């Protein structure tokens, strides 16, 4: 069976109704990540958004650097960064530096984004997303090659310049998406596919083969929305308001369709029943995860939300300990 990392996913949201002072908030979560490595979790993935009332992290590479300093083995990655909002040369420089300071433990996952507000501020057009992301990925690769970039495209021009220092271990570039054109693009231009909740793996693997590639040529990095606990229904009831907050905020922003086109969930039960969430105890988790890995031999990483927005670290820790003790030893 393929070698798979099981890890954690963080958005660093600190909603107003449950807000902690941000210094304490970050300190608690960075300490939790170090504990999680000791428990046997093998990766940590960070995401990115801007101008969010709850402080959703705008700076995943900075946080990844702090995590690199507190861990030794854990793989680090972004799931995902909004590449079209950035200067790709600056992302290449920061990612190369992060790869070097972490001992080659970092991979860069990117997506095209969807929030009008973010594109407006960073003076980008939503309609340019495909070219922004494809040109951005090409510039990343050239920047890490040690050779002059020499790139001219529709959106970017980079001259006869070498980007230094060059990473000793080149980060993989993963691309996310939930609709067919985005998944086809991941198969065509990226080293792998950032999959949300299991959506699109079949489509991705078919796209790899259509392009004359082997399924093993593309990694699948799976962000899993399962809530894993001894009594998952009771756990879901306990953390329901945090889950509902997460689901409805993504809907309001347009993650699952244009803003206003997808109705909000009335309550946590509806969000859990109809959203990406799954309720698993240890036996179900072991069965489901082992089946996923058997069915899709190019899955390289499966990671879970460490906490839901506003949930305490203590509450998240209880699930992490349960997964570490009852699930991780039985996988593979």
């Amino acid at each position: 069976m393929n070698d798979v990392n099981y890890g954690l996913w963080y958005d660093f949201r600190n909603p107003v109704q449950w807000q902690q002072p941000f210094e304490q908030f970050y300190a608690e979560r960075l300490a939790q990540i170090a504990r999680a490595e000791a428990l046997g979790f093998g990766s940590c993935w960070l995401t990115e958004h801007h101008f969010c009332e709850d402080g959703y992290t705008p700076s995943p590479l900075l946080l990844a650097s702090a995590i690199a300093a507190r861990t030794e083995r854990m793989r680090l990655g972004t799931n995902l960064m909004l590449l079209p909002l950035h200067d790709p040369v600056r992302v290449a420089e920061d990612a190369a530096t992060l790869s070097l300071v972490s001992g080659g433990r970092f991979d860069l996952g990117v997506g095209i984004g969807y929030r009008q507000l973010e594109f407006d501020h960073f003076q980008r057009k939503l309609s340019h997303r495909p070219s922004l992301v494809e040109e951005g990925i090409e510039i990343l690769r050239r920047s890490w090659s040690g050779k002059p970039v020499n790139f001219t495209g529709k959106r970017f021009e980079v001259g006869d310049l070498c980007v230094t220092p060059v990473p000793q271990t080149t980060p993989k570039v993963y691309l996310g998406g939930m609709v067919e054109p985005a998944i086809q693009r991941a198969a065509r231009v990226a080293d792998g596919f950032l999959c949300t909740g299991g959506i699109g793996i079949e489509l991705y693997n078919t796209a790899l083969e259509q392009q004359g590639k082997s399924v093993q040529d593309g990694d699948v990095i799976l962000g899993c929305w399962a809530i894993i606990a001894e009594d998952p229904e009771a756990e879901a009831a306990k953390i329901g308001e945090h889950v509902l907050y997460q689901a409805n905020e993504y809907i309001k922003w347009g993650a699952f369709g244009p803003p206003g086109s997808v109705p909000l969930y009335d309550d946590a039960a509806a969000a859990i029943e109809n959203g990406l969430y799954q309720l698993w105890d240890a036996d179900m988790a072991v069965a489901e995860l082992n089946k996923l890995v058997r069915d899709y031999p190019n899955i390289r990483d499966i990671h879970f939300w460490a906490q839901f927005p506003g949930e305490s670290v203590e509450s998240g820790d209880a699930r992490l300990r349960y997964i570490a003790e009852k699930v991780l030893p039985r996988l593979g």
Side-chain angles (χ1 to χ4, degrees):
M1 205 177 260
N2 38 321
D3 193 19
V4 181
N5 262 324
Y6 293 90
L8 303 177
W9 203 359
Y10 285 85
D11 52 18
F12 292 96
R13 304 178 89 161
N14 187 12
V16 172
Q17 59 268 49
W18 301 289
Q19 196 162 74
Q20 293 177 265
F22 264 97
E23 287 187 9
Q24 176 195 349
F25 175 88
Y26 280 128
E28 285 185 4
R29 279 148 189 80
L30 291 170
Q32 180 186 48
I33 293 165
R35 289 196 300 276
E37 182 180 65
L39 286 171
F41 288 93
S43 66
C44 183
W45 297 82
L46 312 177
T47 180
E48 173 194 10
H49 275 296
H50 298 266
F51 316 115
C52 304
E53 187 184 28
D54 60 19
Y56 196 125
T57 183
S59 304
L61 298 182
L62 252 178
L63 283 166
S65 195
I67 294 163
R70 287 164 171 79
T71 55
E72 292 175 9
R73 301 173 305 282
M74 206 175 230
R75 300 286 317 170
L76 308 173
T78 49
N79 184 7
L80 44 67
M81 269 190 87
L82 305 169
L83 188 59
L85 303 182
H86 295 276
D87 175 338
V89 171
R90 287 293 298 117
V91 174
E93 290 172 332
D94 284 350
T97 304
L98 185 46
S99 176
L100 291 165
V101 300
S102 67
R105 291 187 281 142
F106 178 72
D107 294 308
L108 181 68
V110 300
I112 64 171
Y114 51 85
R115 285 179 80 213
Q116 185 73 51
L117 170 78
E118 293 171 331
F119 280 76
D120 288 348
H121 175 78
F122 290 107
Q123 299 179 328
R124 301 280 201 253
K125 288 188 176 170
L126 275 171
S127 60
H128 292 170
R129 289 177 301 171
S131 51
L132 284 166
V133 84
E134 292 199 27
E135 292 185 16
I137 288 172
E138 179 61 25
I139 290 167
L140 291 172
R141 294 195 192 288
R142 294 188 187 198
S143 296
W144 296 330
S145 71
K147 300 178 183 135
V149 176
N150 285 323
F151 179 86
T152 302
K154 284 201 284 195
R155 310 292 163 219
F156 298 107
E157 185 162 349
V158 185
D160 196 30
L161 300 167
C162 290
V163 175
T164 60
V166 175
Q168 283 174 241
T169 305
T170 304
K172 288 195 173 185
V173 179
Y174 297 132
L175 184 56
M178 286 192 276
V179 297
E180 188 162 355
I183 295 168
Q184 294 271 0
R185 185 181 297 116
R188 185 163 47 81
V189 304
D191 299 310
F193 170 47
L194 297 171
C195 166
T196 298
I199 296 167
I201 304 179
E202 202 76 59
L203 204 56
Y204 174 70
N205 286 350
T206 301
L208 285 172
E209 288 169 345
Q210 285 169 346
Q211 290 168 34
K213 298 177 182 177
S214 146
V215 165
Q216 290 295 343
D217 290 337
D219 297 348
V220 172
I221 307 298
L222 175 56
C224 180
W225 295 56
I227 296 166
I228 303 173
E230 190 163 11
D231 183 342
E233 287 75 17
E235 184 75 7
K238 187 184 86 170
I239 63 173
E241 56 190 340
H242 305 287
V243 172
L244 179 65
Y245 175 92
Q246 181 187 50
N248 279 344
E249 286 297 302
Y250 278 126
I251 291 170
K252 285 181 206 166
W253 290 351
F256 303 112
S261 70
V262 179
L264 298 179
Y265 295 115
D266 291 331
D267 53 42
I272 287 166
E273 188 178 341
N274 303 301
L276 292 169
Y277 306 98
Q278 292 159 300
L279 303 181
W280 294 343
D281 64 11
D283 289 345
M284 287 174 71
V286 170
E288 293 285 344
L289 294 169
N290 279 336
K291 181 178 188 308
L292 267 172
V293 170
R294 267 198 313 276
D295 290 351
Y296 302 110
N298 53 336
I299 291 178
R300 297 282 173 261
D301 188 284
I302 301 176
H303 47 276
F304 314 95
W305 293 112
Q307 273 89 223
F308 295 94
E311 183 187 5
S312 72
V313 159
E314 293 73 26
S315 178
D317 272 346
R319 285 197 303 282
L320 302 192
R321 283 194 303 271
Y322 179 76
I323 294 168
E325 288 167 19
K326 308 285 189 191
V327 178
L328 296 184
R330 298 162 61 193
L331 297 174

